[in-house]
Amino acid sequence: MRIVDIIEKKKLAKELSREDINYFISSLVDGSMPDYQATAWLMAVWFNGMSDDETAILTEAMINSGEKIEFGELTDKVVDKHSTGGVGDKVTITLIPLLAAAGVPIAKLSGKGLGHTGGTIDKLESIPNFSCELSVDDLIKQVNKIGVAIGQQTGHLTPADGILYSLRDVTSTVDSMPLIASSVVSKKLAAGSGNIILDVKYGSGAFMKTPEDAVKLAKLMVNTGKKLNKSIIAVVTSMEEPLGRAVGNSVEIIEAIEFLKGNAEGSDIAELTYDFAQIALLQVGICRDKQEARKLLKDLISSGKALDKFRELIVAQGGNPLVIDDYKNFPQSKFKIEVKSDVDGFVNRIDAYKVAYGCKLLGAGRERKNDPIDYSVGVFLNRKTGEYVAKGDVLFTMYANDEGKALACEDYCRAAFSVSTEKPVIQNQIYEIIRP
Ligand code: URA
């Protein structure tokens, strides 16, 4: 079998066999296939897609490329949540300590930044010394000990996703339904939890631009789970504007900590976190209805128990927990630049993609595979959609280390804002929930 023939077959939009896909993935992981062949194949898949059967076979091959986590008797209680990627999406970071504090064991395999979207691993690694490089044994032990662990694709866990993910990030091959579905579902199935909840995003900051496409992707992921005997719930949500106010790495962790401290009630971040937490609590049977779940979750925030769980998680994964008490313990940017509005009116829209692109220019994301990330840079949106801004008020704040990059970022972020005299109607964040 030759890799070039497998590329050729996909280039001609033919269906790949199980043997083709298994050979491609094993050559990827054993290092015998060079990056240029892998990326040619990715681009052929981007153009010609894959059938549902090919997607399930690819997902299975990716799971089998590494070890699998097994929780034994705990499996049916363990929850895992994953987002298909957005801008300012720190819901994993707010949700995980909250659910763990409610007694729900959480085992999560996350990813780094992908395309224009931020990655949970990059955000968490802005906490000095925090590491997501957990072995399978360490991950299981940590879940048993403190009820929560966050790992990443490594040489041991879904290594095929780790390699393809970093190639897709820099070759414009991210926004392909079978590639997203196999990447997400392989990580979730390898991580061994019995309850998988996916946040499938649509909008300017997501890989799926329309709700209809996000529903298609959600159904593909739920069906891929079914073909591999795993029940998955997919929640389709809006990513038209950044989630929350902070976009970057450390700035997003700070916003998540503020939520855990009880300082973000009523915000879009708080609402989406509670929505996902409610689904999980009902799914594992800890609560009987939404009202009971909501009350429990609010108590965990107001009592400080969710924040304590986050502190425990940071300590367990080697990070400096003092970031919670003093944000100066995060890497600091040289410049803090406030950008003011030159008009009066209501913010009607904030284009999430443009804000993400601006942040990438500051250094918050990667241009090439192994580029370092600047954890200290980012953007804070002083105004969100629906809020009034007067001429001269601060519209957004940039944290930057380079004035030239800040100027470029300012252009993108300014262009992201639409301001008008009409107050817009705020849309519901959840579009549809798809169950198996
Ligand atoms: N998240 C993933 O893990 N993979 C994707 O392809 C997109 C989002």
Side-chain angles (χ1 to χ4, degrees), residues 82-85 114 165 168 179-180 183-184 187 207:
H82 200 90
S83 159
T84 55
L114 191 60
Y165 196 94
R168 288 167 60 215
L179 295 180
I180 295 175
S183 164
V184 171
K187 278 196 287 287
F207 297 121

Side-chain angles (χ1 to χ4, degrees), residues 4-251:
V4 70
D5 296 329
I6 299 174
I7 300 171
E8 170 81 2
K9 223 168 163 182
K10 212 12 84 190
K11 184 182 85 180
L12 299 175
K14 293 190 182 152
E15 179 126 359
L16 299 176
S17 66
R18 184 175 287 277
E19 290 68 37
D20 293 331
I21 293 174
N22 285 343
Y23 183 69
F24 176 83
I25 291 296
S26 61
S27 308
L28 179 80
V29 173
D30 70 18
S32 56
M33 171 171 46
D35 280 1
Y36 50 79
Q37 284 190 312
T39 53
W41 181 86
L42 286 169
M43 193 54 92
V45 172
W46 190 93
F47 275 107
N48 291 324
M50 281 185 142
S51 68
D52 290 2
D53 281 344
E54 281 177 296
T55 305
I57 294 169
L58 175 62
T59 307
E60 202 174 1
M62 287 164 72
I63 297 167
N64 292 335
S65 70
E67 294 172 46
K68 279 164 257 175
I69 301 176
E70 282 174 20
F71 287 102
E73 283 175 7
L74 203 59
T75 307
D76 288 344
K77 296 204 172 81
V78 184
V79 168
D80 191 354
K81 173 261 171 194
H82 200 90
S83 159
T84 55
V87 180
D89 183 0
K90 68 278 295 170
V91 166
T92 291
I93 297 152
T94 50
L95 180 72
I96 272 177
L98 183 56
L99 280 178
V104 179
I106 312 272
K108 174 150 172 58
L109 285 194
S110 284
K112 293 187 180 261
L114 191 60
H116 66 279
T117 67
T120 298
I121 303 278
D122 293 327
K123 293 172 198 178
L124 284 169
E125 288 184 350
S126 72
I127 300 171
N129 302 323
F130 192 103
S131 170
C132 292
E133 284 191 24
L134 300 181
S135 69
V136 172
D137 271 2
D138 288 344
L139 204 135
I140 296 173
K141 273 190 203 139
Q142 192 175 310
V143 172
N144 279 308
K145 189 166 170 214
I146 67 162
V148 55
I150 304 187
Q152 66 181 90
Q153 325 99 318
T154 59
H156 301 293
L157 284 163
T158 52
D161 180 53
I163 302 167
L164 291 179
Y165 196 94
S166 57
L167 293 174
R168 288 167 60 215
D169 182 29
V170 290
T171 55
S172 194
T173 48
V174 175
D175 52 343
S176 145
M177 291 201 202
L179 295 180
I180 295 175
S182 55
S183 164
V184 171
V185 177
S186 66
K187 278 196 287 287
K188 300 302 97 183
L189 267 56
S193 63
N195 304 280
I196 298 170
I197 305 171
L198 302 180
D199 182 358
V200 184
K201 301 256 177 232
Y202 71 87
S204 72
F207 297 121
M208 297 298 115
K209 299 300 174 200
T210 64
E212 292 76 19
D213 274 350
V215 169
K216 250 196 224 167
L217 174 61
K219 287 186 174 159
L220 176 63
M221 294 200 279
V222 170
N223 286 334
T224 303
K226 257 198 217 161
K227 280 180 194 278
L228 301 174
N229 299 320
K230 193 60 121 184
S231 151
I232 294 176
I233 299 176
V235 185
V236 176
T237 68
S238 169
M239 180 36 71
E240 286 294 3
E241 76 167 327
L243 199 43
R245 293 182 187 268
V247 183
N249 294 291
S250 60
V251 286

Side-chain angles (χ1 to χ4, degrees), residues 266-424:
S267 66
D268 54 355
I269 281 292
E271 288 310 307
L272 203 58
T273 303
Y274 289 138
D275 284 339
F276 275 99
Q278 281 166 5
I279 292 172
L281 290 175
L282 298 190
Q283 173 80 2
V284 296
I286 286 190
C287 295
R288 277 159 306 174
D289 56 44
K290 282 188 182 172
Q291 289 70 22
E292 191 190 341
R294 186 85 172 192
K295 181 172 179 318
L296 171 64
L297 296 166
K298 292 243 179 193
D299 287 349
L300 291 169
I301 294 290
S302 58
S303 63
K305 286 186 180 149
L307 185 66
D308 289 346
K309 191 49 84 175
F310 190 49
R311 194 184 296 274
E312 226 181 320
L313 172 70
I314 294 177
V315 172
Q317 300 204 200
N320 178 3
L322 296 178
V323 291
I324 291 178
D325 310 303
D326 184 351
Y327 299 146
K328 292 233 163 43
N329 288 306
F330 280 106
Q332 299 292 303
S333 66
K334 249 195 262 173
F335 307 109
K336 176 180 171 191
I337 303 164
E338 292 183 333
V339 178
K340 300 195 170 145
S341 174
D342 43 22
V343 287
D344 297 316
F346 290 98
V347 176
N348 255 264
R349 178 159 194 261
I350 306 172
D351 184 309
Y353 179 81
K354 289 191 177 128
V355 175
Y357 200 86
C359 284
K360 202 160 180 174
L361 294 175
L362 289 179
R366 297 179 182 80
E367 289 296 336
R368 277 170 302 188
K369 215 168 76 167
N370 296 319
D371 279 354
I373 292 265
D374 187 341
Y375 294 119
S376 66
V377 299
V379 166
F380 184 86
L381 305 169
N382 297 78
R383 290 291 186 281
K384 290 266 293 178
T385 298
E387 293 176 351
Y388 186 79
V389 63
K391 190 172 169 180
D393 283 351
V394 179
L395 201 51
F396 60 93
T397 305
M398 298 184 295
Y399 295 88
N401 282 316
D402 178 304
E403 282 168 300
K405 289 180 184 173
L407 277 177
C409 173
E410 179 178 340
D411 283 348
Y412 272 92
C413 290
R414 261 195 194 283
F417 277 84
S418 312
V419 177
S420 82
T421 49
E422 295 282 308
K423 188 169 181 177

